[in-house]
Amino acid sequence: MNLSSGQTYLAIPGPSVIPEAVLRAMHRASPNIYEGELVELTHTLVPDLRYVAQTEGNVALYIANGHGAWEAALANMACHGDRVLVASTGWFAHGWAKMARAMGIEADIVEYGTQSTIDLNALAKALHAHPIDYYKAVLVTHVDTSTSVKNDIAAVRALLDDLGSHALLAVDCVASLGCDEFKMDAWGADVMVAACQKGLMVPAGMAFVYFNDKAAQRQKQLPYISSYWEWGQRANPEILAHYFCGTAPTHHLYGLRVALDMIRAEGIENIWTRHATLAKAIWAAVESWGTDGPMRMNIQDKSLRSTAVTALHMGIPHAKNLRNWTQHTAGLTLGIGLGMSTPEDPKGDGFFRFGHMGHVNAQMILGMLSTVQAGLIANNIPHGTGAIDAAAHVIAGA
Ligand SMILES: *Cc1c(COP(=O)(O)O)cnc(C)c1O
């Protein structure tokens, strides 16, 4: 029977669920872009964007997705022929490295595979092999959305300081900003990239590059820089058009204003706690399912897990069957496995992901888990019992 009519839930790791209030704010006639409400509104976004990332630093706004933020950050840190070092814990680090190479920037990769966090010794070795100014930047993904591993940014900062490295620490927070705890200034990130369609709860279309004064000074030494990606004028605009090097993403600005109001009202610490609690409920359910069947977490160590996305393995054809069933029979779309191919499973179909970022609450997560439970039964996928009870106990005890 098809039971999918009703409010669907896109439980993939981005784009995330968009609050009705954000959508309503975007539904309007085009505003004047030269004076008035929109201009004033745009100025108010920056302090709140700083708050979300816990920084006093600069923010440049772009009409772009996360890939655009990658290119923007690179364009302000390095030129053709420069080098960056990429610490890879999954698919997205490789994406950033690939983009660097396409810009003529050499990207050396320290590879940690798909089930591990950054090993600082291996990173130290890679940095040690060259003079302290060899790499312009070290690129790190805070949460790699493909593997759902969360990396310790403060530890990478401490390593760079210990080694006296001149490299800027650039962090990809596309999946984690507004979900997992992140403190740009306290943790010592020099550059950070994010986009609006994950923890920030706005339809895809805006990206952000945060940078501190050290990164701003370094940028001024670059021999040339793309005038479109250049972050200085965007972070210090005199008129609205300076923010975006052209026409502003008018409707996104209204949506983002409401999303940031929601974030301010809840409080960033409370948002981190909400995500952490909901994630614990998911982990408890998966643990129960895994006691008597093929389902297992991709990242075993709880302290290394994202609280906004969960990568899971169940083998072929189970993972794909489950995703098909939840989407077409129950209105719940789960995430595919990304960058998780193995020799036995070249397409990575044995993997799947839960996205639980942004505008998600207890009833949505319990609904998602119960739907997965039904999908396991419907598809004859072996699983342990007590998963929903275990998740409910986490929520009830929170
Ligand atoms: C989603 C994501 C990206 C890419 O963002 P797009 O908006 O799809 O370009 C980059 N890095 C991470 C960690 C992500 O989760």
Side-chain angles (χ1 to χ4, degrees), residues 3 57 126 299 346:
L3 298 167
I299 300 297

Side-chain angles (χ1 to χ4, degrees), residues 155-226:
V156 177
R157 170 82 272 157
L159 176 71
L160 293 178
D161 289 348
D162 281 352
L163 298 175
S165 172
H166 282 199
L168 294 171
L169 174 55
V171 183
D172 176 345
C173 287
V174 177
S176 56
L177 191 70
C179 306
D180 275 291
E181 179 179 359
F182 179 77
K183 298 182 170 178
M184 178 158 175
D185 292 355
W187 294 359
D190 297 308
V191 173
M192 184 271 275
V193 301
C196 70
Q197 80 275 21
K198 296 186 183 177
L200 297 182
M201 308 179 287
V202 176
M206 282 186 74
F208 312 99
V209 178
Y210 292 72
F211 57 100
N212 63 14
D213 290 338
K214 178 169 82 180
Q217 290 310 317
R218 293 280 179 82
Q219 186 250 31
K220 296 202 173 92
Q221 294 160 18
L222 294 178
Y224 54 86
I225 175 164
S226 143

Side-chain angles (χ1 to χ4, degrees), residues 10 14-27 62-66 194-208 249-260 262 359:
L10 183 67
S16 64
V17 173
I18 301 163
E20 287 295 323
V22 170
L23 292 172
R24 274 198 302 275
M26 296 176 77
H27 193 144
Y62 296 88
I63 295 183
N65 57 18
C196 70
Q197 80 275 21
K198 296 186 183 177
L200 297 182
M201 308 179 287
V202 176
M206 282 186 74
F208 312 99
T250 47
H251 292 66
H252 276 71
L253 297 173
Y254 283 102
L256 182 62
R257 180 61 268 158
V258 168
L260 290 169
M262 292 171 68
H359 194 55

